mmCIF file of all heavy atoms in Angstrom:
data_model
loop_
_atom_site.group_PDB
_atom_site.id
_atom_site.type_symbol
_atom_site.label_atom_id
_atom_site.label_comp_id
_atom_site.label_asym_id
_atom_site.label_seq_id
_atom_site.Cartn_x
_atom_site.Cartn_y
_atom_site.Cartn_z
ATOM 1 N N ALA W 61 7.105 35.655 20.291
ATOM 2 C CA ALA W 61 6.329 36.594 21.103
ATOM 3 C C ALA W 61 5.685 37.617 20.189
ATOM 4 O O ALA W 61 6.234 37.991 19.154
ATOM 5 C CB ALA W 61 7.228 37.304 22.109
ATOM 6 N N SER W 62 4.496 38.066 20.571
ATOM 7 C CA SER W 62 3.842 39.147 19.838
ATOM 8 C C SER W 62 3.496 40.257 20.821
ATOM 9 O O SER W 62 3.163 40.001 21.970
ATOM 10 C CB SER W 62 2.580 38.644 19.129
ATOM 11 O OG SER W 62 1.627 38.194 20.063
ATOM 12 N N PHE W 63 3.610 41.466 20.356
ATOM 13 C CA PHE W 63 3.333 42.631 21.197
ATOM 14 C C PHE W 63 2.694 43.682 20.319
ATOM 15 O O PHE W 63 3.211 44.021 19.264
ATOM 16 C CB PHE W 63 4.644 43.165 21.790
ATOM 17 C CG PHE W 63 4.453 44.327 22.725
ATOM 18 C CD1 PHE W 63 4.126 44.110 24.048
ATOM 19 C CD2 PHE W 63 4.587 45.630 22.283
ATOM 20 C CE1 PHE W 63 3.948 45.168 24.921
ATOM 21 C CE2 PHE W 63 4.415 46.697 23.146
ATOM 22 C CZ PHE W 63 4.092 46.462 24.466
ATOM 23 N N CYS W 81 -0.142 41.184 24.518
ATOM 24 C CA CYS W 81 1.109 40.449 24.584
ATOM 25 C C CYS W 81 0.760 38.979 24.409
ATOM 26 O O CYS W 81 -0.140 38.477 25.082
ATOM 27 C CB CYS W 81 1.764 40.705 25.943
ATOM 28 S SG CYS W 81 3.324 39.869 26.209
ATOM 29 N N GLY W 82 1.415 38.273 23.489
ATOM 30 C CA GLY W 82 1.032 36.890 23.239
ATOM 31 C C GLY W 82 2.204 36.016 22.860
ATOM 32 O O GLY W 82 3.329 36.476 22.704
ATOM 33 N N VAL W 83 1.923 34.741 22.707
ATOM 34 C CA VAL W 83 2.918 33.774 22.277
ATOM 35 C C VAL W 83 2.266 32.835 21.273
ATOM 36 O O VAL W 83 1.090 32.513 21.391
ATOM 37 C CB VAL W 83 3.499 32.983 23.478
ATOM 38 C CG1 VAL W 83 2.426 32.210 24.202
ATOM 39 C CG2 VAL W 83 4.622 32.057 23.036
ATOM 40 N N HIS W 90 1.098 27.370 27.278
ATOM 41 C CA HIS W 90 1.817 28.580 26.918
ATOM 42 C C HIS W 90 1.806 29.532 28.110
ATOM 43 O O HIS W 90 0.908 29.482 28.936
ATOM 44 C CB HIS W 90 1.152 29.266 25.718
ATOM 45 C CG HIS W 90 1.258 28.456 24.468
ATOM 46 N ND1 HIS W 90 0.225 27.671 24.017
ATOM 47 C CD2 HIS W 90 2.265 28.305 23.589
ATOM 48 C CE1 HIS W 90 0.600 27.072 22.903
ATOM 49 N NE2 HIS W 90 1.826 27.444 22.618
ATOM 50 N N LYS W 91 2.798 30.394 28.153
ATOM 51 C CA LYS W 91 2.887 31.363 29.250
ATOM 52 C C LYS W 91 3.329 32.699 28.670
ATOM 53 O O LYS W 91 4.229 32.755 27.851
ATOM 54 C CB LYS W 91 3.906 30.876 30.283
ATOM 55 C CG LYS W 91 4.036 31.764 31.485
ATOM 56 C CD LYS W 91 5.012 31.150 32.482
ATOM 57 C CE LYS W 91 5.188 31.998 33.706
ATOM 58 N NZ LYS W 91 6.145 31.408 34.649
ATOM 59 N N VAL W 92 2.651 33.765 29.091
ATOM 60 C CA VAL W 92 2.963 35.120 28.647
ATOM 61 C C VAL W 92 3.162 35.989 29.878
ATOM 62 O O VAL W 92 2.365 35.939 30.812
ATOM 63 C CB VAL W 92 1.814 35.698 27.789
ATOM 64 C CG1 VAL W 92 2.078 37.139 27.430
ATOM 65 C CG2 VAL W 92 1.610 34.877 26.537
ATOM 66 N N THR W 93 4.215 36.783 29.853
ATOM 67 C CA THR W 93 4.482 37.711 30.947
ATOM 68 C C THR W 93 4.644 39.107 30.369
ATOM 69 O O THR W 93 5.379 39.298 29.405
ATOM 70 C CB THR W 93 5.761 37.309 31.712
ATOM 71 O OG1 THR W 93 5.572 36.001 32.250
ATOM 72 C CG2 THR W 93 6.058 38.278 32.843
ATOM 73 N N LEU W 94 3.951 40.067 30.946
ATOM 74 C CA LEU W 94 4.058 41.471 30.546
ATOM 75 C C LEU W 94 4.587 42.246 31.740
ATOM 76 O O LEU W 94 4.007 42.199 32.834
ATOM 77 C CB LEU W 94 2.682 42.009 30.119
ATOM 78 C CG LEU W 94 2.610 43.490 29.744
ATOM 79 C CD1 LEU W 94 3.456 43.769 28.502
ATOM 80 C CD2 LEU W 94 1.170 43.904 29.502
ATOM 81 N N VAL W 95 5.692 42.939 31.546
ATOM 82 C CA VAL W 95 6.287 43.751 32.606
ATOM 83 C C VAL W 95 5.893 45.195 32.348
ATOM 84 O O VAL W 95 6.120 45.721 31.259
ATOM 85 C CB VAL W 95 7.823 43.605 32.622
ATOM 86 C CG1 VAL W 95 8.439 44.468 33.711
ATOM 87 C CG2 VAL W 95 8.208 42.142 32.809
ATOM 88 N N THR W 96 5.270 45.827 33.344
ATOM 89 C CA THR W 96 4.796 47.204 33.188
ATOM 90 C C THR W 96 5.494 48.107 34.203
ATOM 91 O O THR W 96 5.916 47.646 35.262
ATOM 92 C CB THR W 96 3.271 47.291 33.417
ATOM 93 O OG1 THR W 96 2.998 47.079 34.791
ATOM 94 C CG2 THR W 96 2.532 46.270 32.570
ATOM 95 N N GLY W 100 3.541 46.425 37.661
ATOM 96 C CA GLY W 100 4.432 45.315 37.940
ATOM 97 C C GLY W 100 4.404 44.283 36.823
ATOM 98 O O GLY W 100 4.238 44.600 35.662
ATOM 99 N N THR W 101 4.557 43.033 37.209
ATOM 100 C CA THR W 101 4.621 41.943 36.250
ATOM 101 C C THR W 101 3.307 41.196 36.234
ATOM 102 O O THR W 101 2.796 40.778 37.278
ATOM 103 C CB THR W 101 5.772 40.979 36.628
ATOM 104 O OG1 THR W 101 6.996 41.721 36.635
ATOM 105 C CG2 THR W 101 5.882 39.848 35.640
ATOM 106 N N LEU W 102 2.740 41.027 35.043
ATOM 107 C CA LEU W 102 1.492 40.296 34.861
ATOM 108 C C LEU W 102 1.810 39.017 34.082
ATOM 109 O O LEU W 102 2.521 39.056 33.084
ATOM 110 C CB LEU W 102 0.480 41.137 34.067
ATOM 111 C CG LEU W 102 0.221 42.541 34.616
ATOM 112 C CD1 LEU W 102 -0.586 43.335 33.602
ATOM 113 C CD2 LEU W 102 -0.527 42.437 35.923
ATOM 114 N N THR W 103 1.293 37.876 34.544
ATOM 115 C CA THR W 103 1.564 36.598 33.881
ATOM 116 C C THR W 103 0.258 35.860 33.643
ATOM 117 O O THR W 103 -0.602 35.788 34.520
ATOM 118 C CB THR W 103 2.509 35.740 34.747
ATOM 119 O OG1 THR W 103 3.726 36.462 34.957
ATOM 120 C CG2 THR W 103 2.827 34.424 34.066
ATOM 121 N N TRP W 104 0.130 35.306 32.424
ATOM 122 C CA TRP W 104 -1.023 34.482 32.064
ATOM 123 C C TRP W 104 -0.485 33.157 31.531
ATOM 124 O O TRP W 104 0.585 33.101 30.957
ATOM 125 C CB TRP W 104 -1.850 35.140 30.967
ATOM 126 C CG TRP W 104 -2.342 36.500 31.283
ATOM 127 C CD1 TRP W 104 -3.509 36.831 31.902
ATOM 128 C CD2 TRP W 104 -1.711 37.748 30.989
ATOM 129 N NE1 TRP W 104 -3.644 38.189 32.006
ATOM 130 C CE2 TRP W 104 -2.535 38.784 31.451
ATOM 131 C CE3 TRP W 104 -0.504 38.112 30.383
ATOM 132 C CZ2 TRP W 104 -2.215 40.126 31.318
ATOM 133 C CZ3 TRP W 104 -0.171 39.437 30.255
ATOM 134 C CH2 TRP W 104 -1.037 40.429 30.721
ATOM 135 N N SER W 105 -1.263 32.089 31.715
ATOM 136 C CA SER W 105 -0.874 30.801 31.140
ATOM 137 C C SER W 105 -2.112 30.046 30.678
ATOM 138 O O SER W 105 -3.213 30.301 31.155
ATOM 139 C CB SER W 105 -0.081 29.970 32.157
ATOM 140 O OG SER W 105 -0.835 29.767 33.319
#
Side-chain angles (χ1 to χ4, degrees):
S62 63
F63 183 84
C81 180
V83 61
H90 293 99
K91 183 177 180 181
V92 175
T93 300
L94 177 64
V95 179
T96 70
T101 301
L102 307 170
T103 301
W104 303 271
S105 58

